[in-house]
């Protein structure tokens, strides 16, 4: 069986990870599965959003602007841990995978441990905060202030194989850069 390749797209919500993943799927030489943290979170019953066992979203003020703090409870932690283990299980079966995630803490270490047997490419998906906040407002499906809260946490203590700025390139151009850099 071939060794799976895993592209981890890490960035703030609204950075463009999902759009890049879809573009990369269309241009990669071989099929890549797209695993999105958002899709896994949607598996939870709606009652676990704004619930202490699931995910609690609290709007605070940061620099005079809204900042949405997320607290993850036991059920939410279990879900996200299960997602990481599911990714490793799919890769163990030889599936190439693009992971679209927002890494904020200890999960960074867990990913590195779980995915050590595979070829993993770490991609930092970035954009200036003002661009992220504009996208957040324009999308209409995001909590306003989420990007602000995540901004200084997502890339902290991360070493990337590639960093891309989505304010300077389209999703397709970003995908082409990833494909070229990692010979996908």
């Amino acid at each position: 069986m071939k060794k799976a390749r895993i592209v981890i797209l890490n960035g703030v919500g609204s950075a463009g990870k999902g759009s890049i993943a879809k573009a990369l799927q269309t241009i990669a030489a071989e099929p890549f599965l797209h695993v999105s943290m958002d899709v896994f979170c949607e598996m939870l019953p709606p009652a676990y959003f704004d619930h202490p066992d699931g995910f609690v979203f609290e709007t605070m003020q940061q620099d005079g602007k809204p900042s949405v703090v997320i607290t993850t409870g036991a059920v939410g932690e279990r879900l996200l841990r299960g997602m990481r283990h599911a990714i490793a299980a799919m890769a163990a079966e030889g599936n190439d995978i693009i992971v679209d995630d927002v890494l904020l803490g200890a999960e960074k270490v867990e990913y590195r441990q779980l995915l050590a047997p595979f070829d993993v490419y770490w991609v930092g998906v970035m954009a200036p905060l003002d661009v992220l906040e504009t996208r957040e407002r324009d999308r209409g499906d995001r909590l306003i202030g989420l990007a602000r809260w995540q901004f200084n946490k997502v890339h902290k203590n991360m070493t990337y194989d590639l960093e891309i700025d989505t304010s300077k390139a389209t999703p397709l151009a970003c995908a082409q850069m990833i494909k070229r850099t990692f010979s996908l």
Side-chain angles (χ1 to χ4, degrees):
M1 186 181 319
K2 75 175 191 69
K3 188 175 188 180
R5 297 169 295 170
I6 303 170
V7 177
I8 297 189
L9 304 175
N10 181 42
V12 170
S14 301
K17 300 177 304 292
S19 298
I20 292 168
K22 289 178 180 127
L24 185 55
Q25 281 184 303
T26 65
I27 64 171
E30 294 186 37
F32 274 77
L33 305 178
H34 174 203
V35 177
S36 169
M37 179 186 74
D38 289 348
V39 171
F40 268 79
C41 288
E42 290 170 4
M43 292 179 188
L44 274 180
Y48 282 87
F49 289 91
D50 280 329
H51 186 286
D53 289 336
F55 300 99
V56 175
F57 305 91
E58 184 180 359
T59 301
M60 314 284 279
Q61 291 295 309
Q62 181 182 344
D63 301 323
K65 295 186 178 182
S67 177
V68 176
V69 177
I70 302 173
T71 305
T72 306
V75 173
E77 286 288 343
R78 190 170 60 228
L79 167 78
L80 296 174
R81 202 170 42 257
M83 179 187 82
R84 292 186 290 275
H85 283 263
I87 291 165
M90 289 186 296
E93 294 301 319
N95 292 294
D96 291 328
I97 303 169
I98 304 163
V99 178
D100 160 2
D101 205 342
V102 180
L103 306 178
L104 298 169
E107 70 275 12
K108 297 171 184 180
V109 173
E110 184 181 26
Y111 261 133
R112 291 193 188 278
Q113 293 168 344
L114 286 170
L115 304 182
F118 312 108
D119 291 330
V120 181
Y121 309 108
W122 294 88
V123 180
V125 181
M126 304 171 181
L129 182 57
D130 63 320
V131 171
L132 295 167
E133 289 180 321
T134 297
R135 290 177 185 169
E136 191 174 65
R137 280 190 306 276
D138 290 350
R139 285 181 67 161
D141 66 347
R142 298 290 165 157
L143 292 171
I144 303 302
L146 197 54
R148 179 167 290 276
W149 180 72
Q150 294 173 346
F151 190 74
N152 289 321
K153 295 168 183 57
V154 161
H155 301 296
K156 187 176 181 179
N157 300 321
M158 290 296 297
T159 302
Y160 294 110
D161 300 305
L162 177 65
E163 293 181 6
I164 51 179
D165 183 342
T166 61
S167 70
K168 297 180 180 176
T170 65
L172 179 58
C174 292
Q176 289 168 332
M177 192 181 323
I178 293 167
K179 178 183 177 177
R180 189 172 47 253
T181 301
F182 305 120
S183 301
L184 304 178

